[in-house]
């Protein structure tokens, strides 16, 4: 049923196929697969493991606590129909479309305005001539390079592209080698030609048909704004207008942006939508920044609250730290955000591969504790119970869904 419905969506367009998917009841099917149980098996013995094991016979349910990060890109090409159908089947109650725009100012789902060279087959098509940096093969110590932007192609051209797993081979000397760079812990098994590239409007119709709610992220443009007369404010407004046209209630939408001015625009111009706007926090880019030291923060949590912000969204590592007794505990940022009355959504689980080597960027504040994949559930538990996050983005939502179902989270 999944394949047939996905193909219908791609061939017929968002509206009629979304209705077909809703009619088949796909949004009601929740399947977790073996991964949550694999992770539990890796955990150290203790009360949390026993509690999670006791839930193994449960009937999983959809939960807003589980958020599909670009769908389910651990195994499916991100921002595609197939990826989001998979995330919904894993119980994700909220799904994400990262939003950017084409040359003719149409909104499409891409993680960045300039990721087409790693997320689609554009370099192997005639549209390669639109790339702002043509493919350049690796030579000596210089890696292979390319850059292709949605703002250089029309919506009609965008729809001709085939999605792929987000990756590139820096050692490539040919386009074919460059496109064949999927990490060993991901897979190309589900990256067929019918996974379904999506516009923003497509995503709204699909997510609605699957019984999920919406968290679009307004991506920062790489072109100078205004672009062809398109201002930043018009861009932010066009995003909101799509939900109005589709009849989606503001309470079902969590708008996101790293740009604080976008959040403040929504709060002022679209207060019903702005009430749930999510300020994505990338303060970690600032020299000297530490989530443990308020003196390094550009805004205090009370200041953000006073601006009318309700939700913040830092990466997971900013919300936790290691305790003296080798446990995971909330960071100063997490504690002060709670004290200020801010709600927290965090990102991103299962984007780091196997954790035995420390987990990399997403686990940097607890790298000394990250010795196996079993740490994932220890981290989720601290985020849920101590930090009290409202939701967790994951590249494989089944993991979060299992925990939320077990603990009775909405």
């Amino acid at each position: 049923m999944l394949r047939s419905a996905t193909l219908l969506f791609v061939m017929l367009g968002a509206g009629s196929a979304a209705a077909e998917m809703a009619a088949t009841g796909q949004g009601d099917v929740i399947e977790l697969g073996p991964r949550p149980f694999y992770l539990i098996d890796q955990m150290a013995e203790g009360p949390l493991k026993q509690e999670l094991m006791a839930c193994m016979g449960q009937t999983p349910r959809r939960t807003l606590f589980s958020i599909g990060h670009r769908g389910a890109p651990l195994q499916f090409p991100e921002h595609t129909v197939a990826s989001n159908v998979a995330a919904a089947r894993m119980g994700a109650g909220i799904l994400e479309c990262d939003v950017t725009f084409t040359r003719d100012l149409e909104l499409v789902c891409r993680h960045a305005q300039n990721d087409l060279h790693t997320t689609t087959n554009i370099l192997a098509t005639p549209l390669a001539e639109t790339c702002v940096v043509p493919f350049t093969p690796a030579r000596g110590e210089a890696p292979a390079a390319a850059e292709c932007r949605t703002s250089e192609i029309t919506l009609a051209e965008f729809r001709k592209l085939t999605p792929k797993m987000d990756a590139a081979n820096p050692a490539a000397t040919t386009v074919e080698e460059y496109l064949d760079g999927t990490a060993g812990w991901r897979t190309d098994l589900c990256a067929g030609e019918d996974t379904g590239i999506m516009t923003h409007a497509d995503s709204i119709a699909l997510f609605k048909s699957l019984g999920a709610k919406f968290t679009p992220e307004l991506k920062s443009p790489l072109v100078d704004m205004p672009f062809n007369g398109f201002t930043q404010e018009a861009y932010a407004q066009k995003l909101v207008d799509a939900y109005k046209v589709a009849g989606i209630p503001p309470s079902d939408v969590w708008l996101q942006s790293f740009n604080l001015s976008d959040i403040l625009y929504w709060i002022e111009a679209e207060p019903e939508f702005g009430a749930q706007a999510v300020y994505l926090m990338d303060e970690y880019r600032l020299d000297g920044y530490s989530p443990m030291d308020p003196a390094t923060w550009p805004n205090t949590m009370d200041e953000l609250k006073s601006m009318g912000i309700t939700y913040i969204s830092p990466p997971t590592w900013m919300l936790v730290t290691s305790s003296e007794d080798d446990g995971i505990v909330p960071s100063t940022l997490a504690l002060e955000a709670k004290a200020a009355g801010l709600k927290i959504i965090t990102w991103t689980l299962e984007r780091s591969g196997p954790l035995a080597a420390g987990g990399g960027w997403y686990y940097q504040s607890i790298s000394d504790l990250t010795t196996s994949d079993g740490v994932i559930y220890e981290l989720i538990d601290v985020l849920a119970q101590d930090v009290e996050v409202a939701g967790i983005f994951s590249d494989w939502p089944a993991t979060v869904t299992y925990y939320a179902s077990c603990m009775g989270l909405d």
Side-chain angles (χ1 to χ4, degrees), residues 63 71 104 139 151 218 267 278 312 348 391:
T63 169
D104 47 354
R139 180 172 299 174
S151 52
L218 195 74
I267 291 172
V278 181
I312 61 169
T348 304

Side-chain angles (χ1 to χ4, degrees), residues 3-18 81 159 193-197 202:
R3 178 177 172 82
S4 63
T6 301
L7 284 170
L8 274 170
F9 190 96
V10 175
M11 293 187 294
L12 301 179
S16 59
V81 174
R159 287 198 181 277
E193 294 185 1
D194 58 356
T195 51
I197 204 164
D202 291 342

Side-chain angles (χ1 to χ4, degrees), residues 41-365:
D41 288 342
Q42 304 306 307
M43 294 178 66
E45 294 298 329
L48 177 60
K49 181 173 183 177
Q50 293 303 312
E51 190 169 6
L52 292 173
M53 289 179 65
C55 293
M56 285 186 175
Q58 71 180 349
T59 300
R61 58 183 176 79
R62 188 172 313 287
T63 169
L64 299 183
F65 191 78
S66 179
I67 306 173
H69 182 241
R70 313 181 211 172
L74 186 65
Q75 292 195 11
F76 293 83
E78 64 186 46
H79 289 314
T80 61
V81 174
S83 186
N84 282 286
V85 170
R89 279 196 152 179
M90 295 180 210
I94 303 175
L95 298 173
E96 179 188 43
C97 170
D98 290 329
V99 178
T100 187
F101 54 85
T102 60
R103 192 179 72 202
D104 47 354
L105 308 182
E106 296 296 334
L107 303 184
V108 296
C109 298
R110 288 291 94 193
H111 179 58
Q113 195 169 63
N114 65 334
D115 73 359
L116 294 178
H117 50 291
T118 63
T119 63
T120 76
N121 68 335
I122 190 170
L123 290 174
T125 76
L127 290 172
E129 66 183 19
T130 69
C131 296
V132 295
V133 176
F135 171 72
T136 304
R139 180 172 299 174
E141 295 184 359
E147 183 181 347
C148 307
R149 299 180 177 179
T150 59
S151 52
E152 297 297 315
I153 62 176
T154 65
L155 176 60
E157 292 169 330
F158 175 80
R159 287 198 181 277
K160 294 178 182 178
L161 299 176
T162 298
K164 62 183 265 318
M165 296 298 283
D166 183 13
N169 177 3
T173 58
T174 66
V175 166
E176 292 74 20
E177 290 177 348
Y178 186 79
L179 296 176
D180 186 21
T182 304
W185 49 272
R186 293 186 182 269
T187 179
D188 290 316
L189 186 64
C190 305
E193 294 185 1
D194 58 356
T195 51
I197 204 164
M198 295 198 304
T199 67
H200 180 223
D202 291 342
S203 77
I204 295 173
L206 177 64
F207 299 174
K208 182 179 179 180
S209 78
L210 294 170
K213 299 185 188 299
F214 313 83
T215 185
E217 179 188 337
L218 195 74
K219 303 303 296 189
S220 297
L222 292 175
V223 294
D224 292 335
M225 299 292 275
F227 176 77
N228 294 341
F230 196 42
T231 66
Q232 184 68 25
E233 292 76 14
Y235 177 32
Q237 187 62 50
K238 187 166 186 172
L239 179 76
V240 173
D241 288 345
Y243 293 93
K244 292 181 173 181
V245 169
I248 305 299
S251 59
D252 286 353
V253 183
W254 286 262
L255 307 174
Q256 305 176 73
S257 180
F258 280 104
N259 186 346
L260 183 57
S261 64
D262 292 336
I263 304 296
L264 299 180
Y265 171 82
W266 288 322
I267 291 172
E268 177 66 26
E270 293 286 351
E272 289 188 290
F273 285 91
Q276 290 192 159
V278 181
Y279 175 43
L280 298 166
M281 300 180 72
D282 61 354
E283 282 86 347
Y284 53 80
R285 298 177 184 274
L286 300 174
D287 289 343
Y289 175 85
S290 169
M292 301 300 294
D293 183 2
T296 68
W297 304 350
N299 299 287
T300 67
M301 299 301 101
D302 286 328
E303 287 171 342
L304 291 177
K305 183 69 173 179
S306 70
M307 296 176 193
I309 293 171
T310 302
Y311 285 88
I312 61 169
S313 185
T316 54
W317 68 265
M318 284 174 56
L319 295 172
V320 294
T321 189
S322 301
S323 67
E324 292 182 359
D325 58 352
D326 294 330
I328 303 173
V329 295
S331 67
T332 302
L333 177 76
L335 295 174
E336 296 214 359
K338 285 176 59 179
L342 291 167
K343 297 180 181 179
I344 304 172
I345 295 174
T346 189
W347 45 278
T348 304
L349 285 178
E350 304 194 86
R351 198 159 180 81
S352 302
L355 302 187
W361 190 86
Y362 286 93
Y363 290 83
Q364 60 186 279
S365 63

